[in-house]
Amino acid sequence: MSTQMRSLSLVSNGYTLSQSPQRLGWLEPTDPASPLEQLREKYRAHGYLWLKGILDRDRVLAFRRRFFELLQVSGMLAPATDPVEGLYSGQIEQKELAHQLFMEFHRSPAYEAFCTSPEIIKFYQAFLDGPVYLHKRKLIRYNVPGDAKTTGAHYDLVYLRGGTDRLCSSWIPLGDIPVEVGGLVYLEGSDALGRKMEAEFSLKNADLPPEERISAFNKNMREGWLTSDLPELAERIQSRWLIADYEAGDMVVHSPYMIHAATVNYDALNRIRLSTDIRYQRSDDAIDMRWKNHYFPGDML
Ligand SMILES: O=C(O)CCC(=O)C(=O)O
């Protein structure tokens, strides 16, 4: 669908993407039942697989409900609404409590169970052709409507340089995330650019002490982010940001070199954007030991 057919406001950290429609496109969906070699080939060629409906939609929604049921005491949800809708109240009255419960949820067996759903494990075992390992550091993100701060352009290996680069990120919408709700946007064809940038960073970082060399925050990096100016990056490399209407049940698998970012949640219905991002790799490949702990704010990853 053309972006003009639906008037979209696409903004990321103050930069407007929708002003340059020629720099926008749509993410290409993939049937998870496609033959394995086809999936691998597509992943190699595009740097991502948007696996439509690979997860059980009801299970994803039940997990969404669980999250919002736990956090609703913080005042996050509009009064007298069903938690599964995740409708924003307009302000989080008890911010500290929300944070505490949010962190608690990261450590819950329910979250672990969700991230190790049989469909996910089965997919990765086949895709990576062997036993797989899930990084313990896993992230849940909620983005309330109107929050101007979003994920800047980056590729994941910047944060995961201490192990193999044969790892896959899973970005999982926990609920429907149409473009307006501010999901991930992917820079078309950027896996190759990410590889080139990483090779350049490796040269620059070569003389740094080992810990600093792999840090996303060393003097050669920009806090891990390549830029906040998404339109300029797309223009510079003559590419397009690919947007999508994600649905509960989908999972995007992206390569550690694929450049992505997020846009502001402008949902007219006031839905909070909820998602998780987790990383799988083969268990016999080198593991970045810095990811062996639960996520905590300021963990410098
Ligand atoms: O959900 C987001 O805003 C960022 C997620 C991300 O960067 C990732 O999945 O690698």
Side-chain angles (χ1 to χ4, degrees):
M1 190 198 302
S2 137
T3 47
Q4 276 130 342
M5 281 162 67
R6 205 164 119 201
S7 117
L8 292 170
S9 185
L10 281 160
V11 179
S12 186
N13 294 302
Y15 295 93
T16 306
L17 284 93
S18 35
Q19 272 168 3
S20 332
Q22 75 281 10
R23 295 278 159 243
L24 287 178
W26 291 91
L27 205 68
E28 194 181 300
T30 293
D31 179 354
S34 308
L36 205 51
E37 259 325 303
Q38 218 168 295
L39 294 176
R40 291 195 184 120
E41 188 40 47
K42 197 166 178 184
Y43 177 76
R44 266 194 297 270
H46 294 185
Y48 74 88
L49 289 175
W50 174 19
L51 300 171
K52 285 300 300 169
I54 188 173
L55 305 175
D56 182 70
R57 180 176 170 87
D58 289 342
R59 186 158 180 221
V60 175
L61 292 178
F63 186 65
R64 175 184 175 85
R65 173 184 291 284
R66 194 179 187 121
F67 178 87
F68 284 124
E69 274 178 356
L70 182 72
L71 268 88
Q72 69 179 339
V73 289
S74 69
M76 175 185 285
L77 299 184
T81 56
D82 186 343
V84 78
E85 301 291 334
L87 298 181
Y88 188 43
S89 62
Q91 65 164 28
I92 302 175
E93 275 160 23
Q94 298 199 53
K95 285 203 172 69
E96 257 178 53
L97 177 63
H99 179 68
Q100 187 193 319
L101 294 170
F102 178 63
M103 295 313 296
E104 196 180 303
F105 196 79
H106 273 87
R107 298 186 295 268
S108 68
Y111 183 35
E112 182 70 20
F114 181 81
C115 297
T116 52
S117 297
E119 305 95 302
I120 302 181
I121 300 269
K122 213 172 128 217
F123 168 78
Y124 277 120
Q125 279 174 345
F127 191 66
L128 298 173
D129 193 22
V132 294
Y133 170 83
L134 168 65
H135 285 263
K136 185 164 179 181
R137 184 178 188 274
K138 309 186 280 305
L139 291 111
I140 298 179
R141 309 192 196 228
Y142 66 87
N143 296 72
V144 301
D147 187 352
K149 207 161 148 268
T150 60
T151 303
H154 70 283
Y155 58 89
D156 290 358
L157 199 75
V158 164
Y159 304 98
L160 278 146
R161 291 183 169 131
T164 181
D165 69 349
R166 287 208 304 171
L167 59 92
C168 297
S169 293
S170 269
W171 184 79
I172 306 176
L174 299 172
D176 294 340
I177 306 185
V179 175
E180 292 82 353
V181 177
L184 281 203
V185 293
Y186 288 90
L187 187 60
E188 190 171 35
S190 63
D191 179 89
L193 177 63
R195 285 174 199 272
K196 187 168 164 273
M197 286 177 160
E198 188 57 16
E200 287 164 7
F201 282 131
S202 294
L203 283 179
K204 280 193 200 154
N205 293 342
D207 295 335
L208 297 176
E211 241 177 69
E212 250 186 78
R213 194 183 309 147
I214 58 170
S215 168
F217 299 87
N218 72 33
K219 62 176 186 177
N220 297 320
M221 309 299 301
R222 202 179 158 272
E223 297 201 341
W225 288 9
L226 305 171
T227 179
S228 299
D229 190 345
L230 306 190
E232 188 279 328
L233 179 57
E235 197 59 45
R236 195 184 341 143
I237 69 158
Q238 301 282 290
S239 186
R240 302 185 301 167
W241 286 100
L242 304 179
I243 59 177
D245 290 323
Y246 302 103
E247 292 174 294
D250 297 350
M251 173 170 91
V252 188
V253 178
H254 62 249
S255 100
Y257 294 105
M258 187 69 188
I259 297 172
H260 53 283
T263 57
V264 174
N265 178 353
Y266 281 126
D267 188 36
L269 301 178
N270 245 5
R271 285 167 291 185
I272 299 172
R273 186 262 251 192
L274 188 66
S275 64
T276 183
D277 43 285
I278 60 177
R279 275 111 202 131
Y280 270 92
Q281 64 169 78
R282 277 181 63 118
S283 48
D284 51 5
D285 276 337
I287 292 169
D288 189 330
M289 301 307 264
R290 299 170 305 166
W291 281 63
K292 282 200 138 192
N293 296 309
H294 284 300
Y295 155 72
F296 62 89
D299 63 6
M300 297 296 279
L301 289 168

